[in-house]
Amino acid sequence: LFRSTVLQDTRGIEQCAPASVARTMLKGAFLGLDFFNKECYAIVYGGSVQFQTDYKGEKKLAKKYSVRPVKDIYAKLVREGDDFREEVKDGQQTIQFIPKPFNDGPILGAFAVVLYEDGGMMYEVMTTAEIEETRKNYSKQANGQAWTKSKGEMYKKTVLRRLCKNIELDFDTIEQQQAFEDASDFDMNKEPKPEQQSPLNATIIEAEYTEITEEPVHEPEQE
């Protein structure tokens, strides 16, 4: 039943080795994530099936495995017309967010917040341009269904994953740790795509030069 669901939802899986499908199943099981509830899913990348977490799965794992107990963790989209401000109060950084009701305007960015049970908090902010740059250069499937059909969820997952880099997670096994690292949409070992050349782009010209050293001048001795 599970395999048929993955086959149905994952384009191009029929060309992939069955072993990669099995590994995807195991990674979901290691982390306790549910494919049917869309906490994780499979993609085809590099000729094999690979495991990825969804935004809901990222939240679940951060709350479960954070060394510092988490009260809540979430990500939000900031759209044109929303009131979003970063502030410093009593020496502490904080954010204020008042969304415009039923706002479906252009997305300006996204932010993620973790609230700890001890009263502390951390947050991460990314503009749309930053998210799109990361998507273009490092996404395993920059034009895959996740990005084209669920862009908002992918924006939230991207900023949440960046926040999780600052959250100390303690998994029960090495397999869980590896599965979590593999579950990112981004392959940070990919070479960034080169910028298109344009007459408007600044060009730096390096010129060869020869260093000239002056001989010291000796004053005539006084008689």
Side-chain angles (χ1 to χ4, degrees), residues 14-33:
E14 61 276 0
Q15 280 85 36
C16 299
S20 65
V21 178
R23 285 195 296 268
T24 297
M25 296 169 59
L26 285 173
K27 289 177 181 178
F30 285 147
L31 293 173
L33 297 182

Side-chain angles (χ1 to χ4, degrees), residues 185-203:
D185 174 64
F186 303 108
D187 181 358
M188 304 312 290
N189 293 320
K190 287 176 63 178
E191 289 292 332
K193 296 180 181 178
E195 295 293 333
Q196 291 184 347
Q197 295 299 317
S198 166
L200 298 178
N201 290 342
T203 303

